Each structure stands twice: as C-alpha cells, then as structure tokens.
Amino acid sequence: MLEEDLEIAVKVVVVGNGAVGKSSMIQRYCKGIFTKDYKKTIGVDFLEKQLRLNDDDVRLMLWDTAGQEEFDALTKAYYRGAQACVLAFSTTDRNSFEAVENWKSKVEEEVGPNIPIALVQNKIDLLDDAVVEQHEAEGLAKRLKLRFYRTSVKEDLNVDEVFKYLATKHIQKMRQEGEKESEPTTVQPIRQIGLFTSTGSASKSNNNNGDSGNIGGETITLQPSKSRVPSKSKNIFSRCKVF
Ligand SMILES: Nc1nc2c(ncn2[C@@H]2O[C@H](COP(=O)(O)OP(=O)(O)OP(=O)(O)O)[C@@H](O)[C@H]2O)c(=O)[nH]1
C-alpha cells in the first residue's frame, strides 16, 4: 500500500461546561447545521469528519463530552487516547470561563500535558451580553499556553479554523516524533569516575561489565544502559490507523 493511500486518524475531545456549545460546534463542523434547541449531552457522543490537509487525508474523530458534572466520571474515561482537544467556554457564561483551567487539568490527568489544545470562546454573536472581557480570555490563553479562538457556531465563524489548527498541530507533532525516532543515536563513550585511593592517587580500572563497578576498589565505570544501532528511517505512518 502506498503512503499516499493512508489516512491519519486523530481523536479529538471537546470539553467545557454545559451549554457552551460543544455539541453544536461538532454538528456545525461535521454536518453544517445549527439548531437553537438545547439538548444536554448524556455521557458522550461521537461524530467523524474527513478532510484533506496539505497532502494528507485526515479523519477527525470528534468526541462530544457532557459538560455537566454529574457525568464527570463517565466522560473522563473517553479522554484516554485523545490526541487533541477543544476546550470551550461561552461568551455569556462567566462560570464556564472560570472552569477552563479545571477542564484543562482533567484532560491532562488522563492524556498527559503534550496534546494540542485550542481554547475556544464560543457565542461571540452575543458580544452585547458578554460577561468575559476579550483581554481576560486572551490573558488566560497566554498563561495556559493555548491557541485561542473566538467562534460563533450559530454564525459559522471560525469553527473550521479550530479543527484545522488541531489537526495540523497533531500531524506536525507526529512527524517530529517520527524524525526523532529515526535519528541515529550516538554511542556514548565509556566514562570512568576515578575515585581517590586512601593514598590520594587517582586509580583507574575497567571491569567492562556495564555495571557500576567495584565500590570497594577505586573505579566506577558507567556505560550507556542501551546502545542503539542507527535505524533505518522509520515510516511515521506506521503509527496511524489505516481504515
Ligand atoms: N447564540 C448562540 N447560541 C449558540 C451557539 N452555539 C451554541 N448555541 C446554543 O447554546 C445551547 C447549548 O448548546 P449545546 O451545543 O447543546 O451545548 P453543549 O456544550 O453541548 O452542552 P452539554 O451537552 O450540556 O455539555 C443551544 O441552545 C445552542 O443552540 C452560538 O455560537 N451562538
């Protein structure tokens, strides 16, 4: 199979307080629709979207998680394996803004600190009723080192950009990790720490068994625990799911 035939699958979780517009955002992005009705998500929901990004075919698997605390224990299990995250709050809901850091911690507890996360201020069509100042939101994004977007799912503003950013970041990260793995590892020279004998002269001996040596004697020999042979360039796509 050719590399070009492969698709990069990315698991994205969408988190944030209830009613900030998570389900609406996913519906808008995947189906191009918006509904005014609010139906709170029970547990978790899932939709997919395929896109072409530069020369890559990407399949985004979008996990819509319930914002209500009562579902916390259940939804956390679905964070596992996430490779990117949308963390949303609403322009008209102060609590949702104040909960941002907490949501970030919850996700990072499950998936570690290194996945790309976009902080999204949704409902900017309701700026007249805003309870979060723009500088506050930008300040928070800067402090938490998150890319910040302002969206209106209703008006279809900036929604595509959020997911495009996350997919791009994920692919970049994957490629960097692939390159690192295929970099030749230089074999470290054997280092010796000469301990001074009671006479004060530095003594050297090398038992060459790879262990720290001869504490009773005078020399500790350190060797790299594993010497890796430079490997052939690895195919980064081997990490991707193939459908
Ligand atoms: N004005 C406006 N309303 C929006 C926007 N996005 C979502 N809404 C409305 O906000 C309400 C809540 O949206 P949902 O998408 O159900 O919110 P949620 O975050 O998935 O909520 P939970 O399932 O409880 O976690 C709905 O009535 C939506 O129509 C937006 O950009 N602008």
Side-chain angles (χ1 to χ4, degrees):
M1 184 185 276
L2 295 171
E3 261 186 14
E4 300 88 74
D5 298 333
L6 296 171
E7 191 176 58
I8 301 173
V10 193
K11 175 174 177 177
V12 183
V13 284
V14 183
V15 303
N17 275 16
V20 299
K22 299 182 296 299
S23 306
S24 306
M25 187 176 296
I26 294 175
Q27 297 275 337
R28 163 66 82 193
Y29 184 58
C30 296
K31 298 182 179 168
I33 55 169
F34 174 77
T35 47
K36 274 186 158 176
D37 320 323
Y38 172 41
K39 264 205 280 168
K40 83 173 169 191
T41 308
I42 310 290
V44 194
D45 236 333
F46 170 83
L47 274 178
E48 282 190 341
K49 166 98 174 179
Q50 277 173 290
L51 66 151
R52 181 115 183 124
L53 211 55
N54 304 319
D55 282 335
D56 295 312
D57 284 318
V58 182
R59 181 190 294 254
L60 293 181
M61 295 169 299
L62 302 168
W63 291 83
D64 178 13
T65 62
Q68 316 290 338
E69 239 177 291
E70 57 194 292
F71 300 113
D72 254 23
L74 177 71
T75 52
K76 270 178 91 168
Y78 288 89
Y79 298 166
R80 266 165 238 156
Q83 291 149 314
C85 170
V86 175
L87 202 175
F89 67 95
S90 161
T91 302
T92 57
D93 177 355
R94 183 83 201 171
N95 286 341
S96 72
F97 174 66
E98 281 163 7
V100 162
E101 224 169 324
N102 192 25
W103 282 109
K104 181 170 179 277
S105 305
K106 278 190 219 176
V107 172
E108 289 182 343
E109 264 168 37
E110 297 299 323
V111 298
N114 290 324
I115 63 165
I117 300 178
L119 179 63
V120 175
Q121 173 177 358
N122 188 36
K123 306 195 189 183
I124 57 159
D125 54 291
L126 301 176
L127 270 184
D128 287 347
D129 303 319
V131 291
V132 181
E133 302 272 345
Q134 186 169 345
H135 71 87
E136 288 181 288
E138 285 170 354
L140 181 67
K142 208 169 167 189
R143 185 162 65 75
L144 300 180
K145 299 192 174 69
L146 305 178
R147 174 68 72 96
F148 179 50
Y149 287 91
R150 300 172 92 208
T151 62
S152 167
V153 170
K154 185 177 174 199
E155 308 290 339
D156 198 7
L157 219 88
N158 270 341
V159 175
D160 287 12
E161 281 74 4
V162 171
F163 293 103
K164 196 172 159 190
Y165 162 73
L166 290 174
T168 308
K169 276 302 261 193
H170 170 71
I171 293 169
Q172 263 173 20
K173 191 175 156 233
M174 203 178 77
R175 297 230 150 97
Q176 279 163 3
E177 283 166 7
E179 273 165 26
K180 256 191 228 154
E181 274 182 25
S182 60
E183 264 172 25
T185 313
T186 44
V187 177
Q188 300 292 317
I190 295 168
R191 279 186 233 118
Q192 289 186 326
I193 302 172
L195 296 182
F196 285 89
T197 62
S198 50
T199 59
S201 61
S203 146
K204 277 185 183 172
S205 76
N206 183 0
N207 64 10
N208 239 357
N209 64 3
D211 296 321
S212 59
N214 201 2
I215 301 296
E218 282 80 27
T219 302
I220 297 173
T221 303
L222 300 178
Q223 285 189 310
S225 55
K226 249 199 242 164
S227 311
R228 281 203 286 167
V229 183
S231 61
K232 277 191 223 149
S233 174
K234 268 197 184 151
N235 178 3
I236 53 143
F237 293 99
S238 59
R239 294 163 158 263
C240 306
K241 246 185 177 165
V242 182
F243 292 87

